[in-house]
Amino acid sequence: MARVMAGLTTSHVPAIGAAWDQGLHETPYWAPVFRGYQWTKDWIGEENPDVVILVYNDHASAFSLEMIPTFAIGCADDFAIADEGWGPRPVPTVVGAPRLACHLAQSLILDEFDMTIINQMDVDHGLTVPLSLVFGSPERWPARVIPLAVNVVQYPPPTGERCFKLGRAIRRAVESFDEDLNVQVWGTGGMSHQLQGTRAGLINQEYDRMILDKMTADVAALRAIPHLEYLRETGSEGIEMVMWLIMRGALGDDVEELHRHYHVPASNTAVGHLVLRARD
Ligand code: DHB
Ligand code: FE
């Protein structure tokens, strides 16, 4: 049987990818950002997951305002790296896990989560920056990846509660797969940031730290946070953090925090990162 053994959350700021690709990770600005991921790099080398279900949002690379799926799952053999305007990032193609992805699509849809099925898609910084942060610069990514895209770009995004319940359904789906696989779920985006309007540059450290604490201590409180509270407290792009709740739901009721990193700023955001292990 396959199992969701662990999960992590991380910001996916595009400038982090650019800094990594240009070898700027030792510079005074970037060194403290990357230092917080060293623990995770060591840990993942030991965990060696077979498959990562990588929850992220597309930033008008694969989708546009013409088509906006709320939840979409990548079932392809592989996923090319998107050109976001300055050429694709120089990172390996993302290799998928189509048999598990199709099983997830079936299980989730029959479980009443109406996933959009994606058979071809380029993946952007939302997915590749977390891979670089955790795996560095390997010749091939050491795990297969199932992209799970969530609409947090155009109102209305799904609620945190809906995301949490999708995570629970993912856990059930993984456990009904017939192959022995070590599966991780990653939730990306956040933390507080606003890229537009009069509050551009907003960062709310106190609120971010509350979210980091409650991912293990009181997830019920996080599940109940309404959209307007995300908007008010974490800026217009802070809503990306509902994707963290998919990861959290997929880990089951009892989780342990293994590692935490929080740093301000990276580009316009607060960088937040947690590594969690499922206990049951
Ligand atoms: C930035 C952060 C994001 O999460 C994103 O998708 C785009 C830009 C930023 O901080 O610049
Ligand atoms: Fe983003």
Side-chain angles (χ1 to χ4, degrees), residues 12-14 59 125 193 195 240 267-269:
H12 63 214
V13 186
H59 302 74
H125 71 268
H193 64 303
L195 303 177
E240 289 182 343
S267 187
N268 300 296
T269 74

Side-chain angles (χ1 to χ4, degrees), residues 29-105:
Y29 183 89
W30 289 108
V33 174
F34 288 105
R35 203 179 300 132
Y37 288 85
Q38 190 53 52
W39 187 95
T40 313
K41 287 193 169 82
D42 297 339
W43 170 81
I44 202 98
E46 285 169 23
E47 290 289 305
N48 224 352
D50 299 298
V51 179
V52 173
I53 300 171
L54 207 157
V55 183
Y56 79 112
N57 66 291
D58 177 80
H59 302 74
S61 304
F63 312 136
S64 68
L65 292 184
E66 291 172 9
M67 269 181 260
I68 308 173
T70 301
F71 295 120
I73 184 161
C75 298
D77 289 335
D78 43 51
F79 303 89
I81 307 304
D83 181 348
E84 298 182 60
W86 46 90
R89 290 191 60 214
V91 296
T93 295
V94 172
V95 176
R99 214 170 72 81
L100 175 58
C102 291
H103 168 80
L104 289 177

